Amino acid sequence: KIALHWMPRCALASRSALAHDGSVIQRYSRPEMRAIWSEENKLSLWLDIEEFASEALVTQGVVPKKDFLKIQKGCQAWKGDTAGLAARQRELEKVLNHDVIAFTTAVTERINDPASRWLHFGLTSSDIVDTAFAVQMVQSIDLLIRDVETLLPVIARRAREYQRTPCIGRSHGIHGEPTTFGLKLALMHEEFSRALTRFKHLRTIVSLGKLSGAVGTHAHLPPSVEAHVCTRLNLRPVRIATQVIQRDIHAEFMNGLALVASSFEHWSVEFRHLQRTEVLEAEEPFTRGQKGSSAMPHKRNPISSETLTGLSRVLRANLQVGLQDVALWHERDISHSSAERIVLPDSSLLAYYVLRRATKLITNLEVDSAQMLHNLNLTQGVVFSQPVLLALVESGMSRDDAYRLVQEIAAQALSTKTHFSGLLTNDSRIKLSTRQLSEVFELANALKHSQLVFDALNSADA
């Protein structure tokens, strides 16, 4: 059997989806992400866009400076009371049945001067809405990038902690060959490193503003106004648009969230399997006073992993809405609008929540190294069948003959519960020396190149 001495001593220790504005899932978020997708933040961005557009028109000689200052004062007054602006907008929208017109009407009231005639000059509603969406997506990605950057060192630390903790590697759920738990976690680190790269690329993809008018032709505002507003918002002007920024960009944002959701589920499923009673190699933390089942007091369930799995399904389902929003009629319809008001905030909030919950899970995951070793020894050593096969091939036997022979003896070991190495030693057809047989059962040989993975991990985590 594989001995414990191979491991270092330290390794042996063993709210509703309609709760906010009809869309935002408040329960599954933290205040930072909720603030980004709040009505107040949205309206604050709309005020910025209107103010910056008027500011640009001053340099164009269209808006008198004195009138701009009055517009700016009105916008700034509402920025100090975005909750009041939201309330007034909702009140006006009941009659106007148009959210942006309700917004501009409320701002016009606050300006309370003929200078308000220049507000929203040459703009269409989507100039405001889409440019604000872009800022909100960038703000969301910045939080997600920060949280992935927090998660990665946690995974790296746990991977190094269990670098030399042997466990069985499984394919199709069946014992395959030895690996280490650290190698499993190193793979997790690599996967979320790709998520980080993807988010950073996605940040560039969605950083696009648009103020090119009703069909994207800049018919009433020169491109310089769009460029000025985008610069003030740290965005790039989209190179070409219709009335809207094209929705494949928003679908790509949703796809980035759906992909990281799939990674969440990948590792949630892994940890759920490892916590099964028959396996019990790793468990989620169970805090003092926690209860697992209302009926069965003995239960200790993988609730975090199961929650992450379920919420990942929601994130992927929301991607389907994003993909279907790409096909709009001609220069624009609003079939995407109602759906986006749900899936963009909800998916951002869910991704933010699951990243933080996953970080907590990995930080506190309890690993049973002794049980991993026990499970590795369950199958009478047949997990070393491939090195036996290769040794026989090297000794001169054909691969097919060697395969059939090793397969036969391995099946015998499993059916009789006799250790594989003893059966090989006593079989006259196995033309291998005692030393050769001993070497094929050396765990160190099976894992001799694993340090290369950790060299790469240490480099990536530096």
Side-chain angles (χ1 to χ4, degrees):
K1 291 188 176 183
I2 298 163
L4 287 173
H5 67 72
W6 190 80
M7 295 178 286
R9 188 170 307 223
C10 65
L12 298 177
S14 355
R15 177 167 107 135
S16 156
L18 300 178
H20 181 88
D21 235 7
S23 65
V24 180
I25 299 179
Q26 293 202 46
R27 179 180 177 184
Y28 299 123
S29 68
R30 296 283 181 116
E32 291 171 317
M33 189 64 85
R34 284 207 301 269
I36 289 171
W37 293 99
S38 68
E39 190 74 1
E40 289 79 5
N41 187 51
K42 180 188 77 173
L43 293 176
S44 180
L45 290 170
W46 286 11
L47 288 166
D48 282 340
I49 295 164
E50 293 285 4
E51 179 184 331
F52 298 156
S54 296
E55 182 179 65
L57 286 172
V58 172
T59 64
Q60 297 288 322
V62 176
V63 175
K65 179 70 175 292
K66 61 180 178 62
D67 287 352
F68 163 69
L69 293 175
K70 293 175 182 178
I71 292 171
Q72 184 181 50
K73 183 178 179 181
C75 289
Q76 292 297 324
W78 269 136
K79 285 200 73 172
D81 182 22
T82 50
L85 173 57
R88 180 57 180 152
Q89 182 202 32
R90 286 192 294 270
E91 182 181 6
L92 290 166
E93 192 175 354
K94 291 177 183 178
V95 176
L96 298 169
N97 202 26
H98 194 292
D99 57 346
V100 177
I101 296 176
F103 161 77
T104 56
T105 301
V107 178
T108 296
E109 290 175 349
R110 195 61 176 258
I111 296 168
N112 192 28
D113 188 273
S116 64
R117 70 187 185 278
W118 300 112
L119 184 75
H120 205 68
F121 185 85
L123 300 175
T124 191
S125 298
S126 291
D127 290 333
I128 308 301
V129 172
D130 277 13
T131 304
F133 261 150
V135 176
Q136 288 173 296
M137 287 190 288
V138 170
Q139 290 173 336
S140 299
I141 292 171
D142 283 344
L143 286 185
L144 296 174
I145 287 173
R146 186 193 67 185
D147 280 355
V148 176
E149 289 176 337
T150 299
L151 172 63
L152 285 172
V154 174
I155 302 172
R157 176 176 59 80
R158 299 309 303 268
R160 285 190 286 266
E161 182 180 355
Y162 297 104
Q163 177 177 349
R164 291 174 59 82
T165 300
C167 64
I168 187 62
R170 300 168 174 90
S171 62
H172 305 276
I174 309 302
H175 284 206
E177 291 190 335
T179 182
T180 74
F181 192 63
L183 283 171
K184 283 179 179 280
L185 294 179
L187 180 66
M188 184 185 190
H189 186 277
E190 183 71 8
E191 185 163 356
F192 281 95
S193 294
R194 290 193 297 274
L196 179 59
T197 300
R198 197 176 298 124
F199 277 150
K200 289 179 178 178
H201 173 68
L202 194 56
R203 190 187 192 281
T204 302
I205 295 296
V206 302
S207 298
L208 295 172
K210 177 261 178 194
L211 283 85
S212 52
V215 293
T217 58
H218 292 279
H220 309 292
L221 287 179
S224 57
V225 173
E226 178 182 75
H228 176 83
V229 174
C230 288
T231 298
R232 294 278 267 147
L233 295 170
N234 293 315
L235 302 175
R236 304 184 324 277
V238 66
R239 285 191 292 183
I240 184 170
T242 57
Q243 190 176 115
V244 295
I245 294 174
Q246 298 304 283
R247 259 42 197 178
D248 61 292
I249 293 168
H250 300 70
E252 190 163 353
F253 174 79
M254 298 294 297
N255 185 57
L257 302 184
L259 279 171
V260 81
S262 294
S263 293
F264 296 143
E265 183 169 11
H266 172 197
W267 291 100
S268 296
V269 168
E270 175 71 18
F271 298 138
R272 287 166 63 193
H273 278 306
L274 294 180
Q275 190 163 337
R276 289 167 52 228
T277 303
E278 296 83 358
V279 180
L280 212 57
E281 294 180 0
E283 291 185 281
E284 293 185 9
F286 202 76
T287 57
R288 184 178 180 86
Q290 184 175 340
K291 296 180 180 180
S293 166
S294 63
M296 297 168 285
H298 72 279
K299 293 295 293 299
R300 177 173 171 171
N301 302 325
I303 57 172
S304 288
S305 295
E306 291 173 338
T307 298
L308 293 172
T309 296
L311 296 180
S312 296
R313 294 170 184 167
V314 177
L315 279 160
R316 287 196 301 274
N318 285 354
L319 169 60
Q320 302 308 309
V321 177
L323 293 172
Q324 292 176 56
D325 281 346
V326 173
L328 303 179
W329 286 17
H330 305 297
E331 276 62 53
R332 186 232 181 174
D333 62 59
I334 63 165
S335 59
H336 65 292
S337 180
S338 55
E340 285 176 350
R341 295 175 194 224
I342 298 171
V343 297
L344 288 178
D346 282 7
S347 291
S348 299
L349 290 160
L350 284 175
Y352 188 56
Y353 172 78
V354 295
L355 261 171
R356 291 183 166 223
R357 186 148 183 179
T359 301
K360 183 178 180 181
L361 171 60
I362 299 302
T363 299
N364 299 302
L365 188 70
E366 298 176 9
V367 177
D368 191 334
S369 304
Q371 180 67 13
M372 288 181 175
L373 190 65
H374 171 77
N375 289 342
L376 183 54
N377 284 312
L378 277 178
T379 51
Q380 310 301 325
V382 299
V383 294
F384 292 96
S385 67
Q386 182 167 199
V388 176
L389 166 66
L390 297 179
L392 289 173
V393 170
E394 287 180 329
S395 72
M397 189 179 290
S398 75
R399 182 180 178 87
D400 189 60
D401 288 345
Y403 190 101
R404 292 175 185 276
L405 179 56
V406 173
Q407 185 181 45
E408 174 193 330
I409 299 172
Q412 183 184 354
L414 291 170
S415 63
T416 63
K417 299 190 184 309
T418 305
H419 201 275
F420 188 40
S421 62
L423 293 176
L424 292 168
T425 299
N426 295 325
D427 196 306
S428 60
R429 295 170 295 175
I430 302 297
K431 307 300 183 182
L432 297 175
S433 67
T434 302
R435 179 181 176 183
Q436 286 175 305
L437 280 173
S438 176
E439 287 179 348
V440 299
F441 285 90
E442 283 289 335
L443 184 60
N445 289 333
L447 301 170
K448 60 181 177 289
H449 295 303
S450 62
Q451 182 58 46
L452 295 173
V453 172
F454 286 91
D455 291 341
L457 172 66
N458 293 335
S459 176
D461 193 48

